[in-house]
Amino acid sequence: MKIPFSWLKKHVALAANPDQIADDLVRLGHEVEGVETPRAAVKGVRVGLIESKTAHPDADKLSLLKVNIGEAEPLDIVCGAANMGEGDKVPVATIGTALPGGLKIKKGKIRGEVSCGMCCSEVELGLAEDSDGLLILPADAPVGAEVGEYLELEEAVFDLSITPNRGDCMNVRGIARDLAADAGLPLVEISMADFAVDDAVAVPNVSVSAGADCPVYLARSIQGVNVTDSPDWMQASLIMAGMRPVNGIVDVLNYIMLDLGQPMHAFDADRLTGDIVIRSAMQHEGFAALDGRELKLHAGDLVVSDDASVIALAGIMGSGATGVTGTTTNIVLESAFFRPARVSETRRIYAMVSEASMRFERGVDPAMVGIAMQRATAMIVELFGGKAGDIRQCGDADAINAGRTVDCSVSAIATRLGVDIPPSADDVLARMGFDVKRYGDQLDVTVPSFRHDVSIPEDLSEEYARIIGFDAIPAVLPPLAVTRPARQDRSVHDAVSGGFLQVVTYAFVSADEQRLFVADDGMDIVLENPISDAMSVMRRSPWPGLLNIARYNLNRQQPGVALVEQGRIYARADAGQHNETNTLAWLMVGQAQPDTWYAPARQADFFDLKGAVEAWLSLRGLTGRFIADDAIQGLQAGQSARILVGRTEVGRIGRVDSEIATGFDMDVPVFVAEINLDVLPSGKKAKFASLPEFPGVERDLVFLFDKHTSSDAILNAVKSSAGKFLTNVRVFDLYEGKGVPEGKVSLGIRFTLQDAKRTLTQEDADAASASIIAAMEKRFGASLRG
Amino acid sequence: MSEIDALKLQLESLQSEALAAFSAADSLNDLQALRVSYLGKKGALTEVLKGVGKLPPEDRPVIGKFVNQTKQALAAALDATEAELAVKAKSARIESEKVDVSLPGRSGPKGALHPVQQGLDELTAIFVQMGFDVAEGPEIEDEFHNFDALNIPPEHPARAMHDTFFIKDMRNADGTEPMLLRTHTSPVQIRAMKRFLAEGGEPPLAVVAPGRVYRCDYDVTHSPMFHQVEVFKVDHDVSLSHLKGVLQYFLSAYFEKDVAIRLRPHYFPFTEPSAEVDIGCVFCAGKGCRICKGSGWIEVLGSGMIHPNVLKSVGIDAGEFSGFAFGLGVERMVMLKQGIPDLRLFFENDVRFLSRMGVAK
């Protein structure tokens, strides 16, 4: 909300400058988003009294003036204007003054006569586009005073962000009230021009059938108005406050709303049919709003209607057909209190926001309903003529929000704030409109009708905090509780230490991306109001997000990336439930190792990623088994596997299907993996076992196996056949090609035997070898290689 | 010439010949060969010794002594030369093994934690150190936990300001309301308090809840997904002054210097009183710059004393207990600490950005 400084000063005689006021507003809880200065004060222009005026000896059109600006000697000024005479008071720009147009006043001679300043017109002061002579100031203007201060030329507009609880501050008077209370200044009485009520003007027929939503409704007819533009000062004020002038009647009502906070509406009486009723809408009843929209209303919406149609969505917007135009002569004014929740709900249904609805849904001041009606009537009659009839009133404003009290203890508030509540704070609260009584520790506070936000002691504590000032509240560390800390989740940290860059991607993907790795089984979680189709479905696989990031980086000349992400995946579960599963996911593509002085570049393959996953598992004391699975959606058969820890399937790994990779602009192999962190068993903390004292025996055996024999199966067979001394076995060589028959691979196995009680002999090793050889032959038909 | 003189002469010439040969040797192998050829079993000296038998017995000790002297002289010369050659050989080896130590070391690819992760880790650690427990909650929430229990009833204007993502065709437990993506981490307050009470807990309760949150807002300064950390404490006599103390401590700890803080009265439905918290601008030290729009202050988070309705919603006696709560945006904190100018960088995940920002201090 925009509030001009000059408008504020109509309600309270503020002495501080706009910068200080801005600071005060922030301290009081009204965020100042900016201070615009449409007009700065002119400094150095002073009120001068023309003591004598004589003709210039060498120029017909120039005069020689002696001007008293309150100093010992009057100034000699040569002036070209004609509209001034002795005894007039005029603005005098003194030597050194910079005028708004850029002119800087210097001492000089004009046609041989000395001139020590310049008398100014409105144009030179930046107050008007043209003028026909000097600005003649009122006779009581104090000689020597700064004209800028005297005329209050300085203007600033505060752009405030009013919090939703402070509907009472969505108007100039509300803000002025806070500032006045804070500064200890009185609030100026609301001025009200007199007008006569003409009994000949019929009182509108109004009835309210939805009293709960409309506890008070005032209506009045004014006949014979001549709708012209509103006065310049009002238009200027409205524009500074961010509103567009429309016509005289609408401008007055907007002005009243900005000034006092009461939204009002005017109907063109000649376009109404019969009586006015405030009622609930009928289901599917039509309404043609002022903004051109045709609404189908819902039962329960609060409307103002006449005998023919809905003429307003109460508190939100009037109809296009019954609005006031330049040709309107008879009007019906409306001033009412509509229930905030009603206005809020209806406003949200139709996504319709107006200045009126913003105020009604935050709660207007019931006490202002009648005052605003009187003030608006007075202004309309004064500016546009017409005869005002009496008010038709339905309901009672006094009954709304009246006499609410908060009882609490001073010490409870002091404890909540951590600071004493001095009695002087009560005075400020009283100036804010509260009725405050203190009896020892007991505090009885009656809340003013405009403060819908104060009803419990905690609300009062906020008022006291604002009054005392948050800066005055000491910073104290509370007693700290010491609890047993939970073990930190190191999942992503360990993956990063393995050489992967952590990424963070959005939790939503496109439906098409979802389908790449997850079948359409109806378990997707879809957003009702997504940002775009590309971000419309909650991800069930972390891989599309990673593929997008890989593409982004490969498109920026990266030769390869190794990425990891920790985050949730989301899917529907039975019985309307859903699951959020913590997942760690990897992606590798392109160069795993760049060209270096010690090694040539190497492209990532399956075993780079598998190694990373194995290393990650081993950091948590776990060993994974990788079970080949050719049926994992989106992964290439023959290069994909399920990952098991014990009997639990904890994840998947593999090469992304080449067509999918191409879809992400990658024509090189892409490898991905994921681990479900929620099902991953927690690894066991290692238990100590004594280290072997006796040396082990190491042996190598090389066999010819059929191609595609699982090395996992081979090693398992070794483990079960090598006997009790086996401590370690691994594949140390893998070869196919020259010297190895077609369809076969040469696989070298290195195993270690060791015993805790003695040094093993060659015979022990020979026995184990023989047993392994036999097992390989029996199990795989493998033969020992030459 | 007597036999003995002849032998002596022979030994002398052998010695001088040998010494010349030793000093000419340029490798330990050559020297070893010379040692064998002069001092070995079939060496030159042994040959000379064979002639001793022909001498008269009285001359034998004389010549024996002479031979021994020669042998010792040669052995000493050999040892000396050997030492010399060993030094030379080592120098030569060192020279030949010299490397360019400025070449880069062998290493694999370097990983890095995402800056948001670093922020989450740092922020969480500060509160854990202060005795707060870590809690998490679901990202797909119901309206009760995201709004109602936090004192934001359906018609409340603040509800509209949250730009909520709703889930299609998914309702809450009793089927009355649509499910949504949580708009803040505050619902974890409700869940953590309920769980705590259900497990028979009694305040004090102090919790830090990091997590992802969602708002239907996407432009230069808004991301539809971002991260928050929610912090709250409930106990007897918790005061606004305690909130200020914790804020002062934590903000100084996070920014690793004493930062000025300013609380401004504000409005949040779930706290009363509420305050927005500013820190003295970390870029211009409060002098006023482009980042703080000349004010010298930067808004960092929202805070307040937990509204009694929030405590009531979980069954905590608001007359007996009070609490403070605040929530902060992780991306914003990281941007301020590390001078990152644009929120979008976090979600573009350009590996050049990630590698650079991943460098630990």
Side-chain angles (χ1 to χ4, degrees):
Chain A
M1 159 160 205
K2 291 184 170 183
I3 297 192
F5 190 38
S6 58
W7 200 337
L8 265 180
K9 288 201 281 194
K10 289 182 179 176
H11 290 277
V12 54
L14 294 168
N17 67 36
D19 286 345
Q20 291 166 322
I21 296 296
D23 286 346
D24 292 341
L25 287 167
V26 168
R27 188 168 43 77
L28 290 167
H30 304 298
E31 191 176 339
V32 180
E33 294 190 332
V35 182
E36 296 159 27
T37 48
R39 267 204 322 267
V42 194
K43 294 223 166 52
V45 180
R46 295 163 70 178
V47 178
L49 172 66
I50 300 173
E51 293 187 333
S52 69
K53 175 184 172 187
T54 52
H56 191 289
D58 286 335
D60 292 345
K61 292 189 174 170
L62 296 180
S63 310
L64 302 183
L65 306 177
K66 284 203 180 292
V67 185
N68 173 4
I69 60 162
E71 309 212 330
E73 293 291 323
L75 299 178
D76 288 314
I77 294 175
V78 179
C79 184
N83 67 326
M84 70 294 183
E86 280 178 21
D88 280 344
K89 288 180 177 170
V90 293
V92 177
T94 52
I95 305 294
T97 299
L99 289 172
L103 181 65
K104 195 164 182 197
I105 306 301
K106 286 181 256 180
K107 186 173 176 174
K109 278 187 176 176
I110 299 173
R111 296 256 178 135
E113 297 294 327
V114 171
S115 187
C116 301
M118 183 175 121
C119 297
C120 301
S121 69
E122 282 102 325
V123 175
E124 280 128 9
L125 295 178
L127 301 178
E129 294 290 310
D130 60 333
S131 71
D132 46 11
L134 297 186
L135 172 61
I136 306 297
L137 297 167
D140 59 359
V143 171
E146 283 281 346
V147 169
E149 284 174 25
Y150 172 67
L151 290 181
E152 297 186 346
L153 292 184
E154 185 173 18
E155 184 61 286
V157 179
F158 303 102
D159 189 358
L160 301 180
S161 166
I162 305 293
T163 54
N165 59 326
R166 294 303 300 273
D168 65 299
C169 285
M170 290 195 76
N171 59 81
V172 178
R173 191 167 179 84
I175 293 292
R177 185 188 295 117
D178 263 15
L179 287 170
D182 182 55
L185 296 167
L187 209 52
V188 174
E189 290 279 311
I190 296 173
S191 65
M192 195 86 74
D194 242 3
F195 62 93
V197 171
D198 190 332
D199 292 336
V201 176
V203 175
N205 263 335
V206 180
S207 60
V208 176
S209 68
D213 284 341
C214 177
V216 64
Y217 192 95
L218 269 52
R220 148 177 282 154
S221 294
I222 304 178
Q223 292 183 348
V225 293
N226 175 24
V227 183
T228 57
D229 286 346
S230 56
D232 289 348
W233 67 265
M234 184 179 282
Q235 292 199 20
S237 294
L238 289 173
I239 289 168
M240 280 195 286
M243 290 194 87
R244 193 170 43 87
V246 180
N247 62 48
I249 301 290
V250 172
D251 289 358
V252 166
L253 299 186
N254 281 337
Y255 183 83
I256 296 283
M257 174 181 72
L258 293 172
D259 194 43
L260 303 178
Q262 174 65 42
M264 294 180 66
H265 191 70
F267 299 103
D268 185 331
D270 297 324
R271 301 196 195 188
L272 299 181
T273 311
D275 299 345
I276 292 174
V277 185
I278 297 88
R279 58 170 172 86
S280 285
M282 290 170 286
Q283 184 74 9
H284 301 317
E285 193 171 6
F287 172 57
L290 187 61
D291 65 1
R293 285 172 63 184
E294 300 273 346
L295 302 183
K296 250 191 185 169
L297 302 178
H298 298 64
D301 292 338
L302 186 67
V303 298
V304 181
S305 83
D306 63 7
D307 289 348
S309 62
V310 173
I311 56 173
L313 203 49
I316 301 172
M317 199 169 280
S319 74
T322 59
V324 172
T325 67
T327 58
T328 298
T329 53
N330 301 313
I331 61 173
V332 173
L333 286 183
E334 165 199 289
S335 183
F337 183 96
F338 299 116
R339 191 168 63 87
R342 178 72 261 161
V343 174
S344 171
E345 191 179 334
T346 303
R347 194 267 301 153
R348 277 188 293 124
I349 291 173
Y350 306 108
M352 196 176 243
V353 183
S354 65
E355 291 286 334
S357 73
M358 283 198 293
R359 288 168 174 82
F360 279 121
E361 70 176 300
R362 286 161 174 80
V364 299
D365 180 6
M368 202 54 78
V369 174
I371 294 172
M373 176 60 97
Q374 293 298 80
R375 183 129 194 264
T377 308
M379 287 179 98
I380 287 170
V381 170
E382 185 188 345
L383 293 168
F384 313 112
K387 293 179 211 150
D390 212 344
I391 293 174
R392 164 75 192 182
Q393 174 165 350
C394 299
D396 180 11
D398 294 344
I400 309 164
N401 242 359
R404 288 168 307 136
T405 58
V406 181
D407 299 338
C408 57
S409 82
V410 177
S411 57
I413 292 179
T415 302
R416 187 172 182 82
L417 300 183
V419 71
D420 286 338
I421 312 296
S424 60
D426 296 354
D427 301 339
V428 182
L429 200 56
R431 283 200 293 273
M432 286 175 171
F434 293 80
D435 184 14
V436 188
K437 292 196 175 65
R438 217 192 249 217
Y439 312 100
D441 192 39
Q442 175 66 27
L443 197 60
D444 290 353
V445 176
T446 305
V447 181
S449 59
F450 49 85
R451 289 303 297 271
H452 300 268
D453 61 318
V454 178
S455 56
I456 55 174
E458 287 79 4
D459 297 331
L460 271 187
S461 76
E462 170 153 300
E463 295 307 308
Y464 277 108
R466 291 199 303 143
I467 290 166
I468 292 166
F470 281 34
D471 287 347
I473 292 169
V476 177
L477 276 180
L480 301 179
V482 179
T483 57
R484 190 179 62 229
R487 189 186 274 188
Q488 201 200 341
D489 176 11
R490 301 278 313 162
S491 300
V492 77
H493 304 75
D494 289 339
V496 160
S497 72
F500 287 74
L501 287 170
Q502 183 190 8
V503 300
V504 174
T505 70
Y506 291 129
F508 14 68
V509 296
S510 74
D512 290 346
E513 288 171 341
Q514 184 91 304
R515 291 287 80 82
L516 297 175
F517 298 103
V518 183
D520 190 3
D521 54 6
M523 300 305 252
D524 281 1
I525 295 173
V526 181
L527 296 184
E528 184 78 55
N529 52 335
I531 296 279
S532 67
D533 287 345
M535 298 194 274
S536 60
V537 184
M538 298 306 286
R539 65 179 178 195
R540 290 172 67 187
S541 165
W543 295 337
L546 289 175
L547 286 164
N548 275 314
I549 302 303
R551 161 166 54 191
Y552 178 93
N553 283 290
L554 264 49
N555 281 346
R556 282 160 184 75
Q557 281 114 36
Q558 292 298 324
V561 291
L563 309 175
V564 65
E565 178 171 30
Q566 183 174 7
R568 297 181 188 178
I569 55 174
Y570 315 79
R572 287 176 188 272
D574 293 338
Q577 301 290 302
H578 78 277
N579 289 327
E580 299 180 20
T581 309
N582 277 303
T583 304
L584 190 69
W586 291 259
L587 179 147
M588 279 187 99
V589 61
Q591 269 186 14
Q593 176 80 47
D595 268 315
T596 60
W597 58 269
Y598 54 84
R602 201 170 57 72
Q603 297 292 304
D605 67 17
F606 180 87
F607 298 99
D608 283 297
L609 187 53
K610 182 181 175 185
V613 175
E614 285 175 322
W616 182 87
L617 285 169
S618 97
L619 280 171
R620 17 201 56 65
L622 301 173
T623 308
R625 287 188 295 133
F626 293 70
I627 311 298
D629 186 338
D630 290 349
I632 299 176
Q633 187 181 338
L635 300 187
Q636 178 173 322
Q639 289 200 35
S640 55
R642 286 175 288 124
I643 306 170
L644 274 71
V645 170
R647 289 183 179 179
T648 311
E649 180 175 333
V650 299
R652 298 178 300 173
I653 183 171
R655 176 172 168 180
V656 175
D657 175 84
S658 56
E659 281 173 33
I660 294 177
T662 303
F664 286 91
D665 303 336
M666 290 182 282
D667 292 324
V668 289
V670 184
F671 300 92
V672 290
E674 65 173 350
I675 293 280
N676 177 339
L677 297 173
D678 291 343
V679 301
L680 192 72
S682 56
K684 291 191 185 71
K685 199 83 183 160
K687 287 267 191 296
F688 177 76
S690 37
L691 300 173
E693 283 177 47
F694 298 96
V697 184
E698 197 172 83
R699 284 280 174 98
D700 291 350
L701 294 171
V702 180
F703 296 94
L704 287 176
F705 287 98
D706 288 339
K707 209 170 164 180
H708 301 310
T709 308
S710 155
S711 65
D712 214 26
I714 293 170
L715 294 181
N716 280 334
V718 171
K719 284 174 194 165
S720 57
S721 62
K724 61 176 179 175
F725 300 131
L726 185 80
T727 55
N728 192 22
V729 57
R730 64 187 178 90
V731 174
F732 77 93
D733 183 54
L734 184 64
Y735 175 75
E736 60 185 298
K738 200 166 170 235
V740 173
E742 188 70 26
K744 298 276 182 189
V745 288
S746 159
L747 188 111
I749 295 164
R750 177 165 297 163
F751 62 94
T752 310
L753 307 172
Q754 202 163 21
D755 187 32
K757 299 194 186 78
R758 64 183 174 90
T759 302
L760 295 181
T761 62
Q762 289 307 316
E763 287 73 36
D764 293 319
D766 290 345
S769 292
S771 172
I772 291 169
I773 291 163
M776 293 302 116
E777 263 192 66
K778 185 167 174 231
R779 181 79 198 279
F780 305 105
S783 56
L784 209 53
R785 190 174 172 216
Chain B
M1 199 195 298
S2 67
E3 280 283 338
I4 193 162
D5 288 343
L7 264 177
K8 273 186 181 174
L9 211 61
Q10 202 182 337
L11 280 169
E12 274 166 8
S13 94
L14 182 71
Q15 183 168 347
S16 56
E17 177 202 308
L19 291 177
F22 295 167
S23 56
D26 57 2
S27 80
L28 288 168
N29 283 344
D30 290 356
L31 199 66
Q32 188 54 33
L34 288 171
R35 187 187 287 275
V36 172
S37 71
Y38 284 102
L39 298 180
K41 280 179 185 164
K42 294 173 183 168
L45 204 58
T46 314
E47 282 304 312
V48 175
L49 273 173
K50 283 178 184 165
V52 174
K54 297 171 190 159
L55 290 180
E58 68 275 17
D59 284 349
R60 285 180 193 170
V62 179
I63 201 70
K65 194 179 170 191
F66 200 75
V67 167
N68 266 337
Q69 279 170 354
T70 306
K71 193 177 179 181
Q72 276 164 15
L74 291 188
L78 273 168
D79 288 349
T81 309
E82 190 176 78
E84 204 175 294
L85 280 175
V87 169
K88 265 194 202 156
K90 188 175 177 190
S91 308
R93 180 176 57 77
I94 287 171
E95 182 58 30
S96 73
E97 288 172 1
K98 193 171 171 182
V99 299
D100 175 3
V101 296
S102 67
L103 277 173
R106 281 189 191 86
S107 69
K110 283 161 202 70
L113 288 174
H114 194 281
V116 167
Q117 182 74 42
Q118 298 173 49
L120 281 167
D121 288 352
E122 290 173 33
L123 292 164
T124 308
I126 293 168
F127 292 105
V128 167
Q129 198 180 19
M130 293 173 83
F132 287 72
D133 291 326
V134 182
E136 286 189 350
E139 292 169 21
I140 296 172
E141 261 294 5
D142 55 33
E143 298 202 340
F144 173 78
H145 288 92
N146 198 70
F147 291 124
D148 302 67
L150 290 161
N151 200 33
I152 318 175
E155 69 282 0
H156 201 288
R159 201 141 160 168
M161 303 186 330
H162 271 245
D163 298 315
T164 312
F165 282 115
F166 289 96
I167 307 289
K168 206 181 251 179
D169 303 327
M170 188 184 276
R171 318 287 291 180
N172 63 341
D174 58 16
T176 53
E177 296 167 333
M179 296 291 280
L180 46 82
L181 293 182
R182 66 178 177 194
T183 56
H184 47 183
T185 40
S186 302
V188 185
Q189 241 189 76
I190 305 301
R191 291 187 177 275
M193 285 196 276
K194 285 207 298 197
R195 192 164 49 223
F196 179 75
L197 295 173
E199 288 164 1
E202 268 267 307
L205 167 65
V207 170
V208 54
R212 292 182 171 191
V213 299
Y214 302 87
R215 302 267 175 109
C216 188
D217 201 354
Y218 193 21
D219 58 35
V220 177
T221 55
H222 295 91
S223 166
M225 183 190 87
F226 56 103
H227 297 75
Q228 280 188 342
V229 172
E230 178 85 5
V231 178
F232 72 93
K233 180 182 176 75
V234 177
D235 199 353
H236 291 285
D237 297 338
V238 172
S239 73
L240 189 62
S241 171
H242 291 146
L243 167 64
K244 224 176 144 179
V246 168
L247 288 171
Q248 178 72 67
Y249 175 85
F250 128 71
L251 287 166
S252 295
Y254 178 71
F255 288 104
E256 300 174 32
K257 59 183 171 191
D258 288 332
V259 293
I261 68 166
R262 176 175 81 165
L263 273 63
R264 283 182 287 109
H266 197 70
Y267 169 75
F268 303 110
F270 30 90
T271 47
E272 186 79 65
S274 304
E276 282 199 314
V277 180
D278 299 339
I279 56 168
C281 181
V282 288
F283 297 100
C284 64
K287 287 191 201 72
C289 66
R290 192 180 54 81
I291 311 267
C292 62
K293 293 180 192 138
S295 71
W297 295 98
I298 295 181
E299 183 183 322
V300 289
L301 59 90
S303 69
M305 297 296 293
I306 299 175
H307 197 286
N309 290 352
V310 175
L311 296 177
K312 276 177 210 154
S313 78
V314 296
I316 289 178
D317 181 352
E320 193 181 348
F321 296 104
S322 57
F324 65 69
F326 55 93
L328 50 96
V330 177
E331 283 82 358
R332 178 159 178 76
M333 295 296 274
V334 174
M335 287 168 85
L336 290 175
K337 185 167 179 177
Q338 299 193 261
I340 296 168
D342 190 336
L343 178 68
R344 291 171 298 190
L345 287 164
F346 290 116
F347 302 102
E348 272 173 9
N349 293 291
D350 190 310
V351 297
R352 295 166 297 183
F353 169 75
L354 297 176
S355 300
R356 169 175 287 269
M357 299 318 294
V359 177
K361 300 184 313 149

